[in-house]
Amino acid sequence: MTQETKSHYLLNLNSSQFQPPFFLLTGIPGLESAHTWISIPLCIMYLIALLGNSIILFIIKTTPSLHEPQYIFLSMLAATDIGLSISTLPTVLNVFLLNQREIEFHCCLAQMFFIHTFSSMESAILLAMAFDRSVAIRNPLRYTVILTYPRIVGMGLVAVVRGVALMAPLPILLKRLPFCKNIILSHCYCYHPDVMKLACGPVRVNIIYGLTLVLCSFGVDSVFIVISYVLILKTVMSIASNEGRLKALNTCVSHIVTVFIFYVPLIILALIHRFGTFTSPLFHVTMANLFLFLTPVLNPLVYSFKTKQIRSVLQKAFMTRGS
């Protein structure tokens, strides 16, 4: 699209009602001149996310002793993190590395669908992992009986189907709306509340459906995760020895950290979009990028350091390569 076409489109925004041919993504306000330098740590974070989660997948796949429910769920989490990273990588690098802010309307809707779908899948997998820890601590003798391979696969499929089914209406509902305001998004990727704010048609249905999505996916998942840990704590407190209590809780540390890494930025970002007028643009963008990068980057690091079995496989691999 030429500069003349862009200018003509921008001049006629207030007098036209149609779907825009493109949106303009936003990097970090006030630091546009430093975007090229900022792209360096962003590229490093993407490398850590993609390489780290791929290594987790490879280790679990090639190590027979890790073919257990806990690690199968971890492999699902790693695959979801890879999908989330790949969904955002093109636009983030275009904005910061190449200074290309444009994204075609339908590409934006597609990216939004994948970001929200992978986020919903991740929430469901975190719930499955909480259930896994609950069974392992509260009913260890029946652990392998309850969490059979077909049930684990079924839980993974439910996470995928739920994510796709819940998020598929989002782009459809947005596509029916006219966009006659501005075309500048608040983030370096397409996020449903952000795109919805640019519409000049009635968005009541979008708001209601968006709220329903939050309650039916992230809301329900977080409630059941809390219930799982209440039951875990109740069981742990009944253990007589302090050593036994610490050993039981230690098996949950990685998952607890991952839950906080995922849900805290998500909740803050949702509140910012609801009460955005009270926050600075820089804080808004910072939280959006934390939601984008924190989980895929930190998850492989957390599980590599805190999971003894994965850590030992990595140590053996490095020792073999060093010798």
Side-chain angles (χ1 to χ4, degrees):
M1 181 173 290
T2 63
Q3 187 63 37
E4 182 180 354
T5 306
K6 291 182 193 177
S7 300
H8 181 267
Y9 173 72
L10 292 170
L11 287 172
N12 288 280
L13 280 173
N14 293 327
S15 60
S16 304
Q17 289 194 358
F18 59 101
Q19 293 172 1
F22 67 93
F23 287 118
L24 291 179
L25 301 166
T26 300
I28 300 179
L31 296 177
E32 288 81 3
S33 60
H35 276 181
T36 303
W37 293 105
I38 295 172
S39 69
I40 296 174
L42 291 179
C43 288
I44 293 173
M45 284 190 285
Y46 269 118
L47 184 63
I48 293 172
L50 295 173
L51 187 59
N53 285 292
S54 297
I55 290 173
I56 294 289
L57 282 173
F58 178 77
I59 289 174
I60 293 173
K61 178 178 173 57
T62 57
T63 308
S65 62
L66 297 182
H67 294 175
E68 299 177 359
Q70 178 184 359
Y71 303 107
I72 296 174
F73 286 129
L74 177 56
S75 67
M76 293 179 185
L77 187 69
T80 304
D81 283 336
I82 291 173
L84 184 60
S85 297
I86 292 174
S87 299
T88 59
L89 180 112
T91 56
V92 172
L93 294 189
N94 270 344
V95 170
F96 287 97
L97 187 61
L98 304 178
N99 197 30
Q100 297 291 327
R101 296 177 57 196
E102 299 173 28
I103 181 170
E104 196 269 334
F105 178 73
H106 293 94
C107 291
C108 182
L109 295 185
Q111 183 188 51
M112 180 195 70
F113 166 75
F114 283 112
I115 290 174
H116 286 279
T117 297
F118 281 119
S119 297
S120 174
M121 288 168 55
E122 181 135 356
S123 179
I125 292 169
L126 289 174
L127 173 57
M129 295 174 80
F131 177 71
D132 167 80
R133 292 298 83 208
S134 178
V135 174
I137 292 174
R138 299 183 69 242
N139 206 343
L141 297 179
R142 300 195 62 211
Y143 180 69
T144 55
V145 176
I146 295 173
L147 286 170
T148 61
Y149 184 75
R151 284 178 181 169
I152 295 170
V153 173
M155 292 166 76
L157 288 175
V158 167
V160 174
V161 172
R162 188 194 73 168
V164 172
L166 287 178
M167 303 305 167
L170 287 181
I172 297 172
L173 291 173
L174 284 174
K175 193 174 180 180
R176 69 182 179 85
L177 294 173
F179 288 82
C180 58
K181 297 179 182 179
N182 62 65
I183 56 170
I184 302 175
L185 297 170
S186 303
H187 310 311
C188 51
Y189 56 91
C190 293
Y191 191 62
H192 176 256
D194 196 25
V195 178
M196 183 179 63
K197 286 179 180 178
L198 302 185
C200 58
V203 294
R204 183 178 178 83
V205 174
N206 300 69
I207 293 173
I208 294 174
Y209 188 73
L211 180 60
T212 303
L213 283 182
V214 171
L215 294 176
C216 291
S217 55
F218 305 109
V220 171
D221 293 345
S222 59
V223 168
F224 278 107
I225 289 173
V226 170
I227 292 173
S228 296
Y229 273 101
V230 169
L231 295 174
I232 287 173
L233 284 174
K234 183 178 178 181
T235 303
V236 169
M237 294 307 293
S238 66
I239 299 175
S241 66
N242 289 331
E243 183 181 352
R245 293 176 186 174
L246 291 174
K247 186 177 179 180
L249 288 175
N250 191 51
T251 63
C252 302
V253 170
S254 298
H255 181 256
I256 293 172
V257 172
T258 302
V259 168
F260 274 97
I261 290 172
F262 177 76
Y263 278 104
V264 171
L266 180 66
I267 293 170
I268 294 176
L269 186 60
L271 292 175
I272 287 174
H273 276 285
R274 180 64 181 86
F275 307 103
T277 54
F278 301 101
T279 59
S280 68
L282 183 59
F283 180 72
H284 195 161
V285 172
T286 301
M287 292 312 305
N289 288 330
L290 282 178
F291 167 70
L292 185 70
F293 289 110
L294 212 58
T295 303
V297 171
L298 292 185
N299 278 353
L301 298 178
V302 169
Y303 278 96
S304 296
F305 285 114
K306 290 298 298 180
T307 306
K308 182 179 179 181
Q309 291 84 345
I310 293 177
R311 191 170 66 247
S312 63
V313 172
L314 286 172
Q315 288 174 347
K316 288 179 182 177
F318 282 116
M319 289 175 63
T320 302
R321 179 169 295 184
S323 60

